[in-house]
Amino acid sequence: MHVLVTGATGFVGSRLVPALLSAGHDVVAMTRHPESYDGPDAVEVRGGDLLDPDTLDGVFDGIDAAYYLVHSMGSGADFAERDRRAARHFAEGASAAGVDRVVYLAGLGEEGDDLSEHLQSRREVERVLAEGDYDLTTLRAAIIVGEGSASFDTVVQLVKRLPVMVTPRWLKTPCQPIGVADVVAYLVGVLDAPATADGTFEIGGPDVLSYGEMLRETARAMGRRPPTIISVPVLTPRLSAYWVGLVTDVDFRVARELIEGLKNPVVVTDDSITEHVTVEPTPFREAVTRALGSES
């Protein structure tokens, strides 16, 4: 199958490309800077910017299936509008070129008005992509554990730098993290599972933990004493984001969007994906150990 990967240089996309090659697919990587792409030699590289439809001529030519792995978190207050425009341009280009299948990696979380702005934007992207003339498969995931994940890197930096943390009550919210290798396995697997076409599925690891428990488990995997966590009701998302920005390398805007999401439980409620794609789930501690590499 001739497959296009947008976001091919990102955290998930850079891992997905070689996995698709190993599965026997012909892979096209779309990037805004094709001259600097350093992925596998077997990959065809096409330049394009989803925010500029004039750059997308020919990008979707000959493509059977395309992955949408693009989002603008941290790009400023207008990130939702940027995501909306990018998704619309993608849907129009893929539809015009006759792409049969699109796979979108979205965010896990219950429907409703109480979703964080970031998760609301991910839902809106789903709706925009669903308007295209192709079969859309959506996979929804919570925190993805792996080196290069903004949310997981934040956890690691907090564990390294703070033996005592004053945190919002939302740190008790349940989450079902998933290792990046499992995410990639699901993304590749749905292409060979026709029943997943035009469906939405939730994916997660085998462990459900609070964010506080994730901090403690990560500390143990790093061979450190788990931090002392003091929850207080008055620490707002904005104040929390400033605090995270002070003690980590995470950009304030990214930190605020991540922290806003802590109020939403992100747990798999429908595991029907397991009926179509077989993935051996990686326990959280093992996923953390893999992500940390020699540091663990």
Side-chain angles (χ1 to χ4, degrees):
M1 192 178 294
H2 215 56
V3 181
L4 173 73
V5 178
T6 65
T9 60
F11 164 56
V12 175
S14 61
R15 293 165 168 83
L16 176 62
V17 166
L20 288 169
L21 290 172
S22 296
H25 298 290
D26 297 317
V27 180
V28 176
M30 193 198 83
T31 172
R32 288 177 296 173
H33 306 289
E35 69 283 352
S36 60
Y37 181 75
D38 61 354
D41 293 337
V43 175
E44 178 186 348
V45 185
R46 297 180 184 177
D49 182 350
L50 289 173
L51 292 174
D52 183 358
D54 292 338
T55 68
L56 301 180
D57 289 344
V59 166
F60 295 95
D61 290 354
I63 297 299
D64 302 307
Y67 287 87
Y68 191 87
L69 304 176
V70 176
H71 62 86
S72 303
M73 187 173 71
S75 63
D78 65 340
F79 78 91
E81 170 58 24
R82 291 167 61 89
D83 276 346
R84 188 182 308 118
R85 286 192 288 122
R88 185 179 304 115
H89 296 155
F90 175 95
E92 292 171 350
S95 298
V99 173
D100 295 322
R101 183 87 171 272
V102 168
V103 181
Y104 172 48
L105 180 60
L108 188 61
E110 297 177 357
E111 301 286 353
D113 297 333
D114 196 39
L115 286 178
S116 68
E117 188 177 2
H118 171 58
L119 281 176
Q120 286 179 17
S121 176
R122 303 295 282 271
R123 287 291 188 275
E124 185 174 17
V125 168
E126 282 187 45
R127 291 190 288 271
V128 173
L129 292 177
E131 295 173 358
D133 188 18
Y134 42 69
D135 289 329
L136 174 66
T137 300
T138 300
L139 298 180
R140 293 177 176 174
I143 285 182
I144 301 177
V145 180
E147 183 184 5
S149 162
S151 50
F152 179 68
D153 286 350
T154 301
V155 169
V156 171
Q157 290 189 45
L158 287 173
V159 167
K160 282 183 176 180
R161 301 178 185 186
L162 290 178
V164 178
M165 301 181 197
V166 179
T167 66
R169 288 178 298 181
W170 293 334
L171 221 67
K172 298 180 180 179
T173 304
C175 174
Q176 192 165 352
I178 181 171
V180 66
D182 293 0
V183 172
V184 169
Y186 279 118
L187 288 169
V188 175
V190 294
L191 285 190
D192 294 322
T196 63
D198 220 16
T200 299
F201 302 91
E202 300 175 348
I203 59 175
D207 303 307
V208 176
L209 310 102
S210 70
Y211 290 98
E213 289 170 336
M214 287 176 57
L215 286 164
R216 296 185 184 99
E217 283 297 306
T218 299
R220 294 185 182 102
M222 296 170 68
R224 293 171 174 264
R225 176 181 293 179
T228 299
I229 298 174
I230 303 170
S231 294
V232 295
V234 295
L235 202 59
T236 67
R238 187 175 185 86
L239 286 174
S240 299
Y242 278 124
W243 173 72
V244 170
L246 283 172
V247 298
T248 72
D249 299 331
V250 179
D251 179 86
F252 164 76
R253 293 169 298 184
V254 174
R256 184 173 183 183
E257 287 156 17
L258 292 174
I259 291 167
E260 282 278 8
L262 296 183
K263 66 183 179 182
N264 300 119
V266 280
V267 177
V268 172
T269 59
D270 178 1
D271 65 354
S272 58
I273 186 64
T274 60
E275 300 171 8
H276 311 291
V277 181
T278 301
V279 174
E280 186 65 34
T282 305
F284 178 73
R285 177 76 75 89
E286 183 179 339
V288 170
T289 300
R290 291 181 185 177
L292 295 171
S294 59
E295 236 184 327
S296 64

